[in-house]
Amino acid sequence: MVDAIGHTPLVGLRLGEFTGVEVFAKLELQNLYGMKDRVARQVVLHARKVGQLAEGAPIVESSSGTMALGLALVGPPLGHDVHIVTDPRIDPITLAKLKTLGASVHIVDRMGEGGWQRARLDRLEQLMADLPGAFWPRQYSNPQNPQAYQTLADELLEDCGPFDILVGSVGSGGSLCGAARALRRTLPGLRVVAVDCAGSVLFGQPDDPTRLQSGLGNSLMPSNLDHSQIDEIHWLNDREAFEATRRLVREQLLFGGNTSGSVYQVLRHLSERERAGTRIVGILPDRGDRYYDSVYSDDYWAARGLDELPVNERPVTVAESDTVVAWSRRELSGRK
């Protein structure tokens, strides 16, 4: 099962027919439990190799999604109990999978001054004190997180060959920055476009802990996010991301989560504006099953007033000091 991680399909999307742009999707959502399976494998195997994780020692991590599932997949067959710290926003499908896989799930009951992330980290520190010898993967700062995506870069080059633009979502920063860094050894002119959510601090926006998107965005700044690897950033609000996720199913037959939908929104935009012959790859990280009662639920939309949020039909270019409320974009200066 550990060896089965990765090797995900690359598919051509029905986009760019009228502009001569080729668009491909890397279906990381086809990993056994999700995109972070790659990180879990890399982090755990490396920690065992260098002595950070002793035989039989427990693993403790803060996660509400695919990193938690990846660790629950990789840890037990290698002899490690897995403890996951999360918050009440965890979806019931992920919670059911974690418990059935045998992970111990610790749910904090209220957010701290730094939002839910801070509350989870406080609980994690307590667990580390209670479990001598426990290993904390530290997905947001562990350099093995971006290193895990060397395999993703290798697969893209093997399946696709040279391409011009890479589009991916950003949460911990590991997947997009790690893949970009590896790809640029072969494709030095690669343009990298990041996708974030309104209300996330990753690119200088004020934090909004009430945002509904899962799997991207953050209330804290992870050290694995390397702005110098990113050329352009797009933000979507919750309504725009959820609508794009439903559109992904209708137009491409891919039942994804809101992170995949957000990436798809940007892929559609780029397919209409880039010059003929441009080749674009988007990374689709998450399946849609755990969003059945949110993204795909009309009752959820109505209860949270999503239809009242503003919508931009195309991204508005904003300055660094502007606060984003709907689909916006900004070019970053790190690689200029």
Side-chain angles (χ1 to χ4, degrees):
M1 290 294 284
V2 175
D3 290 341
I5 293 168
H7 320 291
T8 55
L10 182 79
V11 299
L13 299 183
R14 292 192 295 258
L15 294 173
E17 297 99 326
F18 303 109
T19 60
V21 174
E22 291 184 276
V23 184
F24 303 90
K26 180 64 166 169
L27 302 187
E28 285 296 279
L29 50 81
Q30 294 265 21
N31 274 295
L32 295 166
Y33 284 95
M35 187 174 187
K36 294 289 183 67
D37 290 354
R38 292 184 191 264
V39 179
R41 178 179 62 185
Q42 177 73 21
V43 166
V44 170
L45 292 181
H46 180 266
R48 286 166 57 90
K49 179 180 179 181
V50 301
Q52 293 175 332
L53 175 58
E55 290 288 335
I59 299 170
V60 180
E61 182 59 292
S62 168
S63 173
S64 60
T66 50
M67 183 61 180
L69 291 168
L71 291 170
L73 165 67
V74 173
L78 297 177
H80 305 283
D81 292 335
V82 174
H83 294 258
I84 298 299
V85 181
T86 187
D87 60 63
R89 299 173 302 172
I90 188 171
D91 66 275
I93 290 181
T94 297
L95 183 60
K97 288 179 179 178
L98 287 171
K99 289 183 175 180
T100 308
L101 285 164
S104 298
V105 182
H106 309 263
I107 302 177
V108 300
D109 55 3
R110 57 183 176 273
M111 70 173 70
E113 292 184 3
W116 288 114
Q117 291 277 22
R118 182 68 262 167
R120 281 159 41 176
L121 291 177
D122 290 343
R123 179 72 178 100
L124 185 146
E125 291 173 2
Q126 180 183 342
L127 269 177
M128 292 292 291
D130 295 340
L131 298 169
F135 170 65
W136 177 14
R138 299 177 185 265
Q139 63 164 316
Y140 294 110
S141 59
N142 192 325
Q144 294 304 310
N145 178 341
Q147 180 61 35
Y149 294 100
Q150 175 69 57
T151 59
L152 173 61
D154 293 342
E155 291 169 23
L156 286 176
L157 291 171
E158 180 178 351
D159 294 343
C160 184
F163 58 96
D164 305 290
I165 302 174
L166 178 68
V167 181
S169 59
V170 181
S172 70
S175 61
L176 187 59
C177 295
R181 190 176 297 115
L183 285 166
R184 281 185 167 128
R185 299 188 189 110
T186 303
L187 306 173
L190 182 69
R191 182 171 179 81
V192 177
V193 180
V195 187
D196 195 6
C197 58
S200 162
V201 306
L202 294 177
F203 295 91
Q205 292 292 306
D207 181 42
D208 179 5
T210 67
R211 63 184 183 276
L212 302 175
Q213 295 178 63
S214 175
L216 76 172
N218 212 312
S219 298
L220 302 174
M221 185 63 69
S223 58
N224 275 329
L225 175 56
D226 181 359
H227 284 191
S228 72
Q229 291 294 332
I230 297 171
D231 299 286
E232 182 178 342
I233 171 67
H234 286 244
W235 296 269
L236 301 176
N237 66 29
D238 293 330
R239 176 182 175 182
E240 292 166 330
F242 288 12
E243 287 180 346
T245 306
R246 292 186 173 194
R247 188 181 301 117
L248 174 63
V249 185
R250 293 194 306 271
E251 297 179 355
Q252 307 296 339
L253 310 178
L254 291 168
F255 191 67
N258 62 249
T259 308
S260 296
S262 296
V263 170
Y264 181 60
Q265 180 87 332
V266 176
L267 290 176
R268 292 178 82 250
H269 169 69
L270 294 174
S271 74
E272 296 169 355
R273 68 182 290 268
E274 295 297 323
R275 69 182 185 278
T278 301
R279 309 184 85 220
I280 306 172
V281 172
I283 302 172
L284 303 190
D286 56 348
R287 290 191 289 272
D289 54 354
R290 63 193 184 105
Y291 302 95
Y292 77 96
D293 60 351
S294 56
V295 174
Y296 296 103
S297 168
D298 292 339
D299 291 340
Y300 180 93
W301 282 50
R304 285 156 180 80
L306 285 176
D307 287 335
E308 299 173 7
L309 293 177
V311 171
N312 287 337
E313 294 301 322
R314 56 185 57 83
V316 174
T317 300
V318 295
E320 187 172 358
S321 58
D322 293 335
T323 298
V324 168
V325 296
W327 189 10
S328 305
R329 64 171 292 277
R330 180 165 61 86
E331 294 197 9
L332 302 187
S333 58
R335 293 184 55 80
K336 301 302 180 185

